[in-house]
Amino acid sequence: PARYFDTKTTEPISFFLTGLEELLAWQPNSNDDFNVSAVPLAQRQPPLHSRRPRTLVCHDMRGGYLEDRFIQGSATRNPYVFYHWRYIDIFVYFSHHTVTIPPVVWTNAAHRNSVPVLGTFITEWTDGEKLCEAFLAGGEEAYGAVAEQLARIAQHYRFDGWLINIENTLSAAAVGNLPLFLRDLTARVHSAVPGGLVIWYDSVLKDGTLRWQNELNDENRMFFDACDGLFTNYNWKEEQLERTQRLAGPRLNDVYVGVDVFARGDVIGGGFDTDKSLRLIRQYGLSAAIFAPGWVYEHLGKENFLQNENRFWGLLAEYLPTHSICTLPLTTSFSLGMGTSTFLDGKDEESGPWYDLSAQDIQPLYPEHQGTLSTSCCLQDAWCGGSSLQLQGTIPPGEERVAVRLFSLQMPAPPKLFLTLLYKLEGPQPDDFTVALEVTTWDSGICFEGNPTSLPEPNGRYHPRFLPAPPPSLAKLLAACHRGSYGWTSRCYELELQDCSLRDLSLIVSRQQPSLQETSFTCLLGEVRVLDTASLAASPPQVHSVMASQLWWQ
């Protein structure tokens, strides 16, 4: 069927639904299997619902369902990717189709990085009025059926909820039922999807007129009260933030103030001035909804996209609270889910462009320190996948080392950790530097390394012990410890901790010789793993009854 498979290539594709009839007729189908997310939403700290301002990203690009619709990837040159997952809390996939089911590649990439994904339910223009009249004015049975289908769809495809966007006027009967529909949908989504969310877009008012308010007020408050959050329109002024803050009360963080990166209309700042809008929003403790950050790709072009993307998010970073990893194992090759080649164990196995967000790895923080450190993605060389993480920086005169924070962690440390690292030093004098991992712990008087006779480290900084070879029991798994090839160096470490809580994983680049000169370095990271030794020793669960379906031979 054309909905599920590309007519030219027969490859499985992601799809949307159009109109009320298609939504109400939707049933799970065996052709759907490709479209169901295979990656559960990873845990994070602090949890999404903790009381701090959040950041929502609403992805709207040229109508949606572009190359990202190919579930098993495509040979796309210079595709759009998003990878600053540590800095955002919710990802919305937006299009102008009635029911936007997020392409599964996005759900997989976001979930792997602890970010929930919402689809969009939109009605607009005169067709939208008719659609709303049909299901909202029809009473409880009619709107209940729509709520039920939307909750079932999110549950079936394993994404996390809905943005509801009613962009047309409503009759008195329809608007009267709207808060009831939102309450019903929210309750059904919460019960069908753990951690599910329903967010309302600031559009229709309580009397049914379509008038964007750019704030939370008495005209739209009853919709906010009926669901998990409000996403405001983009043309606000500071006094509207002030009024919103007052009215939202304890639900301050559930108001996502809209920021259009394309800066259409009368806005505070978009493009590379988006930080001006965010600074104001955060002054009032409100959450932010960054709309169409694909501006970087669409407006500035594909050629220098990765460079521009790092600049864009780097300018916003101080206003974006990050979330931490709270489960082990942590293992990543930093792949973006795209490449100009495919690498395996450092070898360029296959030249040619590819794009598959499902293959994107866990992404690190991307720290930038003006003039002293930049973190970027390198497509020219990788250990595994399509890219490595490139760290370029300088060690200041008189200093011996520089620390690059890769991941923030928040979890109890197991008694024994194994860490592996694959890296490559580039530049004129690679032998002038050494590279190692550093683990920091949260301050506590009871945290010790190794045995209780050793003293706690100042600032909880631990340098795991270098192992020339892995212990025999782990030799097979940690073959990485002596498998450097194609110019990559591999390192294996062990760290024993007692009563500690992990905080950060950093890379330390040190000079071999002290110097009064500033020294520049370039280091590629190919892979990092942090493993709990105890869980490695256990044998993996047996796999039973494997089924292969939907085979198509060509």
Side-chain angles (χ1 to χ4, degrees):
R3 173 188 283 172
Y4 300 96
F5 300 97
D6 185 62
T7 45
K8 291 195 190 77
T9 64
T10 74
E11 292 171 336
I13 50 174
S14 294
F15 59 85
F16 50 85
L17 304 175
T18 306
L20 195 53
E21 281 173 28
E22 276 194 15
L23 169 61
L24 293 173
W26 175 86
Q27 289 295 345
N29 174 311
S30 63
N31 290 315
D32 269 341
D33 293 349
F34 292 111
N35 225 341
V36 174
S37 171
V39 182
L41 178 58
Q43 294 175 3
R44 50 164 277 186
Q45 282 294 344
L48 182 66
H49 293 290
S50 42
R51 307 222 16 199
R52 64 173 201 172
R54 301 180 202 118
T55 307
L56 175 152
V57 159
C58 189
H59 173 64
D60 175 16
M61 189 174 279
R62 302 201 308 272
Y65 301 94
L66 306 172
E67 291 80 8
D68 54 6
R69 74 184 186 279
F70 290 102
I71 295 170
Q72 295 173 338
S74 64
T76 304
R77 218 172 269 286
N78 301 324
Y80 175 72
V81 289
F82 178 81
Y83 49 93
H84 285 80
W85 296 109
R86 297 275 136 234
Y87 301 87
I88 76 161
D89 300 290
I90 299 166
F91 182 86
V92 178
Y93 193 87
F94 184 90
S95 83
H96 288 274
H97 303 289
T98 316
V99 179
T100 299
I101 299 168
V104 64
V105 295
W106 281 105
T107 307
N108 288 340
H111 279 186
R112 189 170 286 126
N113 287 283
S114 315
V115 173
V117 175
L118 309 187
T120 306
F121 176 69
I122 190 172
T123 66
E124 44 193 348
W125 313 107
T126 43
D127 283 351
E129 279 181 52
K130 288 178 196 152
L131 194 151
C132 288
E133 195 61 21
F135 89 91
L136 281 173
E140 191 174 346
E141 197 174 332
Y143 69 68
V146 169
E148 172 67 8
Q149 284 294 76
L150 290 174
R152 285 179 68 209
I153 287 170
Q155 181 182 43
H156 178 71
Y157 296 112
R158 299 189 188 158
F159 61 96
D160 307 286
W162 296 99
L163 172 69
I164 305 296
N165 189 1
I166 307 291
E167 298 263 356
N168 46 258
T169 50
L170 295 177
S171 67
V175 80
N177 282 330
L178 183 52
L180 301 172
F181 163 67
L182 284 174
R183 274 185 203 283
D184 188 27
L185 173 64
T186 304
R188 288 177 196 259
V189 166
H190 288 180
S191 100
V193 179
L197 292 167
V198 174
I199 293 177
W200 168 255
Y201 185 76
D202 154 33
S203 51
V204 174
L205 308 184
K206 63 184 178 189
D207 64 359
T209 51
L210 174 63
R211 208 165 59 240
W212 299 272
Q213 299 297 290
N214 305 297
E215 66 177 309
L216 172 67
N217 60 26
D218 285 329
E219 298 292 324
N220 59 18
R221 183 182 183 163
M222 71 284 307
F223 308 124
F224 173 62
D225 290 342
C227 68
D228 295 309
L230 168 74
F231 177 153
T232 77
N233 194 45
Y234 313 105
N235 307 115
W236 43 268
K237 293 284 170 276
E238 188 170 356
E239 59 269 23
Q240 289 171 300
L241 299 182
E242 207 173 324
R243 293 200 293 263
T244 296
Q245 179 194 47
R246 271 205 308 274
L247 194 60
R251 286 192 67 198
L252 193 63
N253 305 142
D254 294 338
V255 180
Y256 301 85
V257 179
V259 179
D260 178 5
V261 180
F262 278 84
R264 289 162 282 212
D266 181 11
V267 300
I268 305 281
F272 286 127
D273 290 328
T274 299
D275 57 320
K276 292 181 180 152
S277 295
L278 276 180
R279 184 181 306 129
L280 267 181
I281 291 168
R282 298 307 198 210
Q283 272 172 18
Y284 290 91
L286 295 159
S287 289
I290 300 175
F291 181 77
W295 170 85
V296 176
Y297 182 84
E298 291 186 70
H299 181 70
L300 301 175
K302 310 173 175 187
E303 278 57 53
N304 291 324
F305 168 62
L306 295 176
Q307 214 175 323
N308 290 329
E309 181 76 343
N310 289 340
R311 181 183 165 205
F312 177 81
W313 290 98
L315 290 167
L316 302 184
E318 65 175 298
Y319 304 111
L320 305 176
T322 59
H323 45 90
S324 305
I325 290 173
C326 62
T327 51
L328 292 179
L330 163 58
T331 166
T332 180
S333 303
F334 305 103
S335 182
L336 295 176
M338 62 163 280
T340 48
S341 278
T342 305
F343 292 85
L344 186 61
D345 292 347
K347 178 173 184 242
D348 183 343
E349 291 276 349
E350 194 180 341
S351 237
W354 63 275
Y355 176 46
D356 179 1
L357 286 168
S358 289
Q360 189 184 77
D361 262 315
I362 291 178
Q363 293 298 306
L365 296 163
Y366 281 85
E368 293 284 323
H369 302 296
Q370 221 46 56
T372 58
L373 175 73
S374 80
T375 316
S376 57
C377 314
C378 172
L379 299 174
Q380 289 70 46
D381 198 356
W383 176 253
C384 179
S387 52
S388 55
L389 190 69
Q390 179 171 282
L391 309 173
Q392 286 177 298
T394 54
I395 301 178
E399 292 193 18
E400 283 174 33
R401 45 172 254 167
V402 63
V404 184
R405 190 163 158 249
L406 299 175
F407 292 99
S408 61
L409 311 169
Q410 202 169 328
M411 60 186 131
K416 197 180 211 181
L417 286 172
F418 268 104
L419 302 95
T420 67
L421 168 67
L422 274 147
Y423 69 90
K424 192 183 265 196
L425 280 163
E426 302 204 311
Q429 282 110 9
D431 299 340
D432 292 356
F433 300 98
T434 56
V435 173
L437 289 174
E438 176 181 88
V439 174
T440 58
T441 57
W442 291 90
D443 282 340
S444 94
I446 56 167
C447 167
F448 295 99
E449 181 176 359
N451 52 43
T453 56
S454 59
L455 294 169
E457 288 286 323
N459 341 325
R461 293 185 183 283
Y462 295 96
H463 301 105
R465 195 163 58 88
F466 172 62
L467 298 177
S473 60
L474 295 175
K476 203 160 147 193
L477 187 95
L478 299 181
C481 296
H482 30 207
R483 64 171 195 197
S485 53
Y486 296 93
W488 292 90
T489 304
S490 74
R491 291 280 182 261
C492 204
Y493 306 91
E494 182 180 67
L495 180 61
E496 293 185 54
L497 294 170
Q498 286 197 342
D499 301 321
C500 299
S501 187
L502 301 179
R503 180 175 186 166
D504 285 315
L505 177 68
S506 300
L507 188 83
I508 306 294
V509 180
S510 314
R511 314 186 213 241
Q512 297 276 28
Q513 303 294 325
S515 164
L516 295 174
Q517 306 294 308
E518 178 177 273
T519 322
S520 302
F521 64 88
T522 300
C523 178
L524 298 183
L525 287 192
E527 184 187 74
V528 169
R529 300 198 280 177
V530 182
L531 311 167
D532 171 2
T533 314
S535 67
L536 293 181
S539 52
Q542 292 295 304
V543 176
H544 296 288
S545 51
V546 174
M547 299 274 291
S549 61
Q550 301 287 5
L551 302 179
W552 183 277
W553 299 99
Q554 291 183 335

